[in-house]
Amino acid sequence: MLEGGSDDRPWLEIYADKIRDIAQNLAHRKRCVGLHLAYGADDETPAAKEAVRIFFLSLRDHLTAILARGLPSEIAEELATDALVRIEGATLMTAVFDESDAMERAIQAAILDATTASR
């Protein structure tokens, strides 16, 4: 799919590809700059705090929009949130222990959750 273009594939396929893209990017870098900034941003750095919030909100909203093609919006948002939590946690395991299996489990769990919810 071209950036900004439409994607006529099934929503679950689009979601699985997006989850893999996010996870592979984080696994390759062995860190999430957004999460790193989130721990350093506080009320004394409101611009940084807001930028981090917007970054993660846009990721969640993008995943939610994909999931909402086939699921109720409340479930879509919950699954998108859970997927990001899993992937970020797996990024920690990759960074600290160089454990790539955790990322693959996070990817598979996120896809399985969406598949199960669609039934």
Side-chain angles (χ1 to χ4, degrees), residues 31-50:
R31 67 187 37 85
C32 174
V33 175
L35 190 61
H36 176 76
L37 291 173
Y39 285 117
D42 56 23
D43 291 337
E44 293 179 22
T45 55
K49 186 176 182 178
E50 182 65 8

Side-chain angles (χ1 to χ4, degrees), residues 23-101:
Q24 288 169 357
N25 182 289
L26 293 173
H28 175 73
R29 292 182 185 178
K30 294 186 179 183
R31 67 187 37 85
C32 174
V33 175
L35 190 61
H36 176 76
L37 291 173
Y39 285 117
D42 56 23
D43 291 337
E44 293 179 22
T45 55
K49 186 176 182 178
E50 182 65 8
V52 169
R53 191 182 86 64
I54 290 169
F55 170 75
F56 282 106
L57 184 60
S58 70
L59 269 179
R60 184 177 71 183
D61 287 351
H62 184 68
L63 292 175
T64 299
I66 295 168
L67 289 164
R69 290 180 171 189
L71 300 171
S73 59
E74 310 82 44
I75 294 172
E77 185 172 332
E78 183 177 300
L79 292 179
T81 300
D82 290 352
L84 289 175
V85 168
R86 283 187 174 115
I87 291 169
E88 290 294 350
T91 302
L92 169 74
M93 300 307 287
T94 302
V96 174
F97 300 111
D98 202 26
E99 184 181 311
S100 60
D101 291 348

